[in-house]
Amino acid sequence: MERILVFCAHPDDEIIGVGGTLAKYAQEKKKVTVVIFSSGENFPFWLKKEHTIKEREKETKKAGQILGVHETIFLGLRDLSLKDDLNKKEVFSKVVAIIKKIKPHQIFTHYPGDVFFNHDAVGKFILKAIKKANYTKAIYMFKVWNPFYFGKRQNPKLIIDISSMFVKKIKALDVYESQKLVIYMLYPFIFFKAVFEGIKYKTKYVETFLRYG
Ligand SMILES: [Zn+2]
């Protein structure tokens, strides 16, 4: 059974970035594991952090079920101090151990260079962790916050037609009651990107990734 491992900074990054692809892979009987670094507990700021963390974890599991995710692992790092937490040895060891244990055939993570610095930090961290874990297979990177721009001369290396999974992707996003506001702000981007790139690649909806190495 092919194993897929996804690393992302926050709940919902995996859905926005790679949700359609994960649903497709799950349907193809691939075993998908998602690792989430932080609950993004600082928003909404008017709610108690503990409450937000619990809600997010519940929502993430529910969204994962919709997509067919096998397992979701929460690392529980602090969103506002994510960079400090990523410098901790035990966090690094934990992530390396996860890669070694799962022995994935493909890894998906943030594009280092994502405008949102916690996404960038996780992307860079994973590139270090795969080296330590002696992982040499494919690593694909997605952008969440500026989905239109991959930079110059960086054509996507993996293009997945998610037309049949697009409804599932939106349904999974809908689960995130606790961050509706942010997600609604992103909706036009998600639709526009999927449609725009779909036209480019002559299909309805796609998700695109850069390949590392
Ligand atoms: Zn995020």
Side-chain angles (χ1 to χ4, degrees):
M1 187 190 269
E2 205 172 321
R3 293 175 299 276
I4 312 293
L5 186 53
V6 183
F7 290 104
C8 58
H10 312 107
D12 82 12
D13 288 340
E14 84 284 15
I15 299 168
I16 294 167
V18 65
T21 301
L22 297 186
K24 200 169 181 178
Y25 281 176
Q27 210 176 51
E28 292 166 2
K29 303 269 176 272
K30 291 176 183 163
K31 201 171 170 184
V32 177
T33 304
V34 176
V35 179
I36 294 170
F37 279 68
S38 167
S39 302
E41 65 277 6
N42 294 298
F43 185 85
F45 51 83
W46 57 89
L47 289 179
K48 270 208 175 123
K49 274 183 191 168
E50 297 72 32
H51 171 83
T52 309
I53 291 171
K54 265 194 201 146
E55 278 307 298
R56 290 271 156 90
E57 291 191 357
K58 250 198 260 165
E59 290 167 352
T60 309
K61 284 200 173 137
K62 213 167 147 193
Q65 278 166 5
I66 292 173
L67 298 179
V69 169
H70 172 73
E71 190 188 3
T72 308
I73 300 168
F74 299 95
L75 295 183
L77 306 188
R78 298 163 301 162
D79 197 27
L80 279 187
S81 311
L82 192 68
K83 269 197 166 161
D84 295 336
D85 282 357
L86 290 179
N87 280 326
K88 288 180 183 160
K89 263 190 190 153
E90 65 266 27
V91 173
F92 189 70
S93 309
K94 202 172 180 182
V95 170
V96 171
I98 290 171
I99 299 172
K100 281 184 169 169
K101 188 183 162 211
I102 291 181
K103 297 186 191 72
H105 296 83
Q106 292 180 43
I107 289 180
F108 288 83
T109 192
H110 292 286
Y111 173 73
D114 193 296
V115 285
F116 192 40
F117 72 85
N118 276 354
H119 294 172
D120 169 77
V122 167
K124 284 180 178 146
F125 180 88
I126 293 304
L127 293 185
K128 272 191 250 163
I130 55 165
K131 275 193 193 122
K132 183 76 181 168
N134 293 318
Y135 173 85
T136 51
K137 296 194 178 88
I139 173 152
Y140 295 108
M141 299 174 299
F142 54 85
K143 277 193 174 182
V144 175
W145 278 91
N146 52 346
F148 305 111
Y149 185 63
F150 267 123
K152 271 180 194 163
R153 285 172 282 129
Q154 287 180 308
N155 289 318
K157 293 289 159 35
L158 178 68
I159 297 151
I160 304 281
D161 182 349
I162 61 154
S163 305
S164 58
M165 296 296 152
F166 200 67
V167 173
K168 260 193 188 173
K169 175 169 174 157
I170 297 304
K171 260 193 191 158
L173 267 180
D174 254 348
V175 166
Y176 287 95
E177 287 288 339
S178 71
Q179 57 207 112
K180 273 264 149 79
L181 199 62
V182 178
I183 287 175
Y184 282 158
M185 272 158 42
L186 276 172
Y187 264 17
F189 292 101
I190 296 165
F191 279 103
F192 187 77
K193 182 175 186 272
V195 172
F196 174 78
E197 292 193 314
I199 292 166
K200 198 165 145 196
Y201 298 108
K202 296 193 171 54
T203 173
K204 217 168 167 197
Y205 301 117
V206 292
E207 282 170 353
T208 57
F209 308 95
L210 285 176
R211 189 182 166 132
Y212 172 78

